[in-house]
Amino acid sequence: MSEENKDLGDKAEDAFDAAKDKAKDLGDKAEDAFDDAKEKAGDFADKAEEAAKDFKEDVKETFDPNNPDSGKTIAIIAHLTLVGWVIAYFMNSSNKTEIGAFYLRQVLGIMLLGLVLSLIPILNLIAWVLPLVLWLMSLISCINGEQKPVFLVGTYFQDWFKGL
């Protein structure tokens, strides 16, 4: 039996050495995979940082007060419901633009006119039609980049809300 035990011991030692070599190979492969993942994560982080810088530059350019399209963007946003008007108000307060302020006053006046007309029972139908027409005229002028007051009441809106 001693010879059998010796053979079993040799086999066990060979199996242990083979397992040890295999574990070392797997460890090397895992280390290589970790290095590859680390390199790819670094590349991804670099690309994300570059994209963020590009986005920041685009935002600065879009909302730069010296950029004529900046005020136009604010003016268009002001035409998008009351929430859009509030957003445009805060955007314009950080970067004052002439066209943005002009259309903030126009749209506020149109909204208030619609509200007042809707409170008068007989003028309820006009309360929907007149402000809608004025709003469309204002939006078209805004998209064209013109500072054109709306029919009849636009100059009053500019005067009443000049604090904006």
Side-chain angles (χ1 to χ4, degrees):
M1 279 219 220
S2 71
E3 179 122 357
E4 254 181 61
N5 286 340
K6 190 177 179 188
D7 286 341
L8 283 175
D10 289 342
K11 286 181 182 180
E13 191 174 320
D14 290 342
F16 179 74
D17 289 339
K20 195 164 105 175
D21 291 340
K22 192 166 190 171
K24 185 179 179 190
D25 289 343
L26 287 174
D28 291 343
K29 287 180 182 178
E31 189 175 323
D32 291 342
F34 177 76
D35 290 340
D36 287 346
K38 189 175 174 182
E39 184 179 323
K40 287 179 182 178
D43 291 345
F44 179 77
D46 292 341
K47 288 178 182 176
E49 186 176 343
E50 184 179 323
K53 285 179 183 177
D54 290 345
F55 180 73
K56 188 175 180 181
E57 289 174 11
D58 289 346
V59 167
K60 279 183 181 178
E61 182 180 323
T62 301
F63 297 109
D64 181 16
N66 299 324
N67 181 0
D69 289 338
S70 172
K72 191 174 172 183
T73 304
I74 291 170
I76 292 171
I77 292 172
H79 283 83
L80 304 176
T81 70
L82 180 61
V83 174
W85 186 89
V86 171
I87 292 169
Y89 175 78
F90 285 112
M91 288 171 59
N92 194 56
S93 60
S94 65
N95 292 325
K96 292 273 186 194
T97 60
E98 189 177 333
I99 192 169
F102 179 86
Y103 281 103
L104 281 171
R105 292 187 292 265
Q106 289 290 301
V107 174
L108 178 62
I110 293 169
M111 286 190 285
L112 291 176
L113 178 67
L115 178 69
V116 169
L117 290 177
S118 69
L119 296 175
I120 303 170
I122 297 172
L123 299 177
N124 218 354
L125 179 63
I126 296 172
W128 291 105
V129 175
L130 181 63
L132 179 65
V133 170
L134 294 176
W135 179 82
L136 282 172
M137 290 171 52
S138 176
L139 182 62
I140 291 169
S141 296
C142 158
I143 290 171
N144 291 331
E146 303 169 350
Q147 290 185 19
K148 194 170 169 185
V150 292
F151 181 69
L152 291 177
V153 289
T155 54
Y156 294 114
F157 295 158
Q158 294 303 313
D159 187 42
W160 294 339
F161 305 121
K162 61 183 161 199
L164 293 178

